[in-house]
Amino acid sequence: MVVAALPLSVCSAALAEDDEADEERSRLSTVIFGSMEAGPTKTFLSVGMKRAIGGGLAQSGFRLFLKAGGSQEQTRRQSPRGTTYKAETQTLLGYEWRIGDTFVALYAGSDVQSERRDEPLGPSLIETRYGARLQADLWSTPLPGMMFQASAYASTLDRRLWARAAPGWQMPLGFYIGPEVEAYRERDYRKLRLGLHLTGLRLLGLEWRLAGGWQRTSDRPSEAYATLGLHWQR
């Protein structure tokens, strides 16, 4: 009887822990995230949040998505290059469908960008523009030990289109690793990235994403890129 009762008590404790974990996940209502992107000619930083409206992130429902970012880059490829500083904000409202470990989200809202170009031979130029953005996100685990993440947006600012897709396979330590492809277009500018990502690394109470690879743009030779992302649920 003692031998039979021991596995039962362990199982009951495990079930209780699972229930507590499920209850804790159901209370989570906010994701705070940030990212940094670095290349030979551009640096970009961003921070934002996604908040469930009228419920938790574990259930389907409406979401508020806020993001702000800034970048510094060369204005021209040839000297005198100059420097361009950009600041952008997005305020989006959308709906997220949750099915097990899979979620699909669709957002719409405003897209604002302020730009300052410091010219070596002339005065600085400052411009602020307003637009609308439509954005979609997908996270899925189609097979055990495999994930698939995809995001895309379209904005009326410069007729921008962006998309990223990244499958990954789970490693023994729990994080995922795999290839990523990213494409961007605005007016007469194009960018294509191919690289590797490491997603879901847990450190200091945060989840991290590291990525790097090679990019090709319409105005520069091919070059390396690296990105760092993190998020925290509360």
Side-chain angles (χ1 to χ4, degrees):
M1 291 297 293
V2 174
V3 176
L6 181 58
L8 180 60
S9 63
V10 172
C11 182
S12 299
L15 290 175
E17 290 178 358
D18 289 342
D19 290 341
E20 290 176 0
D22 290 341
E23 184 178 355
E24 182 179 356
R25 283 194 295 268
S26 68
R27 291 197 299 264
L28 296 174
S29 61
T30 304
V31 175
I32 299 173
F33 57 86
S35 67
M36 180 179 70
E37 174 184 316
T41 62
K42 179 179 179 179
T43 302
F44 178 81
L45 298 171
S46 70
V47 64
M49 62 167 284
K50 177 178 73 172
R51 183 171 180 83
I53 300 176
L57 292 172
Q59 296 84 34
S60 299
F62 288 98
R63 306 287 191 258
L64 175 66
F65 185 97
L66 305 174
K67 183 180 178 182
S71 67
Q72 175 183 323
E73 59 189 277
Q74 292 179 356
T75 302
R76 288 178 297 275
R77 180 177 173 184
Q78 303 295 333
S79 297
R81 302 183 189 278
T83 304
T84 297
Y85 302 92
K86 296 179 181 179
E88 61 180 48
T89 60
Q90 292 89 41
T91 303
L92 310 175
L93 182 64
Y95 194 88
E96 186 172 281
W97 292 266
R98 300 296 299 246
I99 306 172
D101 292 331
T102 298
F103 74 80
V104 180
L106 185 63
Y107 303 93
S110 63
D111 201 351
V112 182
Q113 182 184 78
S114 297
E115 180 177 315
R116 190 186 80 188
R117 295 187 294 275
D118 289 344
E119 300 289 347
L121 304 178
S124 298
L125 302 176
I126 301 176
E127 181 183 13
T128 300
R129 292 173 295 162
Y130 303 88
R133 175 183 288 212
L134 184 65
Q135 178 173 312
D137 296 317
L138 165 68
W139 172 278
S140 178
T141 53
L143 296 172
M146 179 185 178
M147 55 78 71
F148 180 77
Q149 192 271 329
S151 297
Y153 75 75
S155 174
T156 58
L157 287 180
D158 300 325
R159 300 189 298 275
R160 296 175 183 174
L161 295 173
W162 173 85
R164 176 182 178 270
W169 288 265
Q170 194 169 32
M171 298 292 101
L173 294 179
F175 60 82
Y176 295 87
I177 189 169
E180 72 170 6
V181 58
E182 181 180 331
Y184 177 77
R185 189 201 78 180
E186 66 170 57
R187 293 183 179 175
D188 56 352
Y189 175 80
R190 304 288 187 275
K191 178 172 68 177
L192 177 64
R193 287 178 167 178
L194 297 174
L196 292 174
H197 74 92
L198 186 156
T199 299
L201 178 65
R202 296 179 181 271
L203 184 64
L204 302 176
L206 305 172
E207 285 201 12
W208 300 79
R209 178 174 66 85
L210 307 174
W214 211 249
Q215 70 177 23
R216 182 175 183 179
T217 64
S218 57
D219 64 345
R220 292 187 58 84
S222 298
E223 57 192 10
Y225 77 90
T227 60
L228 170 66
L230 58 90
H231 76 266
W232 174 50
Q233 293 187 353
R234 61 181 300 274

